[in-house]
Amino acid sequence: MPRDPVRILQVTDPHLYAEADGSLRGTITADSLKVVVDHIGQQKWPADFVATTGDIVQDDSAGAYARFKDLMTPIGLPVHCIPGNHDVPALMHAALSDDPWHYCKAFIVGDWQIIGIDSCLDGNAGGKVSEEELSRLRQTLANTNAPYAAVFLHHPPLEMGSRWLDSVGLHNAQEFMEVITTVGNVRTVIFGHVHQAFDEMHESIRIIGTPSTCAQFKPHEDKFQLDDTPPAYRRISLGPDGSIDTELIWLDVAE
């Protein structure tokens, strides 16, 4: 019998506040995340887990993480989270480390090794994968029994073609990419941070970025500029043959 793919919902960069009416650049972020969660519930797409790739909160509060848990619980799936530059690792780890919440976890599902990597750099909007995290990544990839691997992190490992956004990307991207290309079993790297869609091949690795559940950034701009595209989330299917299928779902917060 053919094996099922690993199905993942990527929900990223919600930028929540402790207060329900907290707004980021004109978007009430709790409301826009709720639209996403409601759509996921209505569609009943058969996912195995949710991947949340950073910037869960905007106001540095434990209350915002509690709001995230309240909003995401109706999905009824494990939620695997990694921190973004707006997150507070100590608060996030305390809130999101007990089932069904997971923090920077590495695990195998089906034919795939999944690895959540912390790319945050204290006090900097840009990122860096620490030597400790690079070592964990190398060891996990070298020792896994799964034939394929997918790596999740917050910061983009490739340039976005946007001068301001590339200045706050992954500062040691070359080193990170050398690790994942050397081992040979990584098929995809999936990230957040950029508030826009991205999908390119780097050698044999598919590099995928996903828009935010709130406001988006206009692509290919030298200076920061908001786009008029709506909130979004992504469906990802990782096949038992190493293939990757993905679909972006754009939503109107007025729905």
Side-chain angles (χ1 to χ4, degrees):
M1 294 293 292
R3 289 167 292 178
D4 290 334
V6 177
R7 297 183 177 93
I8 306 164
L9 293 164
Q10 186 192 9
V11 174
T12 193
D13 295 82
H15 290 271
L16 297 173
Y17 298 80
E19 296 78 16
D21 60 353
S23 177
L24 179 68
R25 301 182 179 96
T27 298
I28 297 176
T29 58
D31 288 354
S32 60
L33 179 58
K34 186 176 187 304
V35 167
V36 168
V37 171
D38 287 349
H39 189 270
I40 288 170
Q42 292 160 8
Q43 295 297 302
K44 299 185 182 342
W45 191 70
D48 295 291
F49 64 92
V50 179
T52 302
T53 45
D55 283 359
I56 290 173
V57 308
Q58 181 68 21
D59 65 356
D60 299 347
S61 74
Y65 288 111
R67 185 166 300 283
F68 173 74
K69 293 172 75 172
D70 287 344
L71 287 166
M72 295 290 287
T73 293
I75 296 177
L77 292 172
V79 181
H80 290 267
C81 304
I82 56 174
N85 53 288
H86 284 280
D87 286 305
V88 183
L91 292 178
M92 183 174 169
H93 188 272
L96 301 174
S97 293
D98 296 324
D99 283 337
W101 316 97
H102 304 277
Y103 183 91
C104 289
K105 187 175 180 179
F107 62 103
I108 293 174
V109 54
D111 295 282
W112 287 81
Q113 172 74 60
I114 309 296
I115 310 170
I117 291 292
D118 182 351
S119 63
C120 293
L121 188 59
D122 190 32
N124 195 313
K128 181 179 181 180
V129 181
S130 68
E131 286 301 321
E132 182 180 1
E133 280 291 84
L134 285 173
S135 176
R136 182 171 73 92
L137 177 60
R138 287 189 195 96
Q139 291 176 14
T140 303
L141 292 173
N143 295 328
T144 183
N145 293 322
Y148 313 112
V151 180
F152 290 79
L153 77 168
H154 182 64
H155 293 86
L158 298 181
E159 290 190 348
M160 300 294 297
S162 175
R163 184 160 56 182
W164 79 270
L165 198 51
D166 289 338
S167 72
V168 292
L170 188 66
H171 297 327
N172 62 338
Q174 183 175 350
E175 186 178 13
F176 170 80
M177 293 302 291
E178 285 175 356
V179 171
I180 64 169
T181 54
T182 298
V183 177
N185 53 357
V186 177
R187 290 292 182 268
T188 185
V189 175
I190 300 166
F191 63 92
H193 188 59
V194 298
H195 291 238
Q196 60 194 255
F198 185 88
D199 193 343
E200 290 187 6
M201 293 297 297
H202 176 84
E203 298 183 10
S204 62
I205 302 173
R206 191 169 177 181
I207 312 294
I208 298 171
T210 296
S212 167
T213 62
C214 59
Q216 314 302 351
F217 303 154
K218 193 169 184 179
H220 309 299
E221 295 292 326
D222 286 342
K223 297 181 180 179
F224 172 82
Q225 188 173 342
L226 285 178
D227 205 354
D228 58 3
T229 47
Y233 70 98
R234 186 181 289 278
R235 296 170 179 165
I236 303 162
S237 294
L238 306 177
D241 58 353
S243 62
I244 302 155
D245 292 320
T246 181
E247 180 184 10
L248 266 180
I249 310 296
W250 298 93
L251 298 174
D252 186 342
V253 293
E255 289 180 0

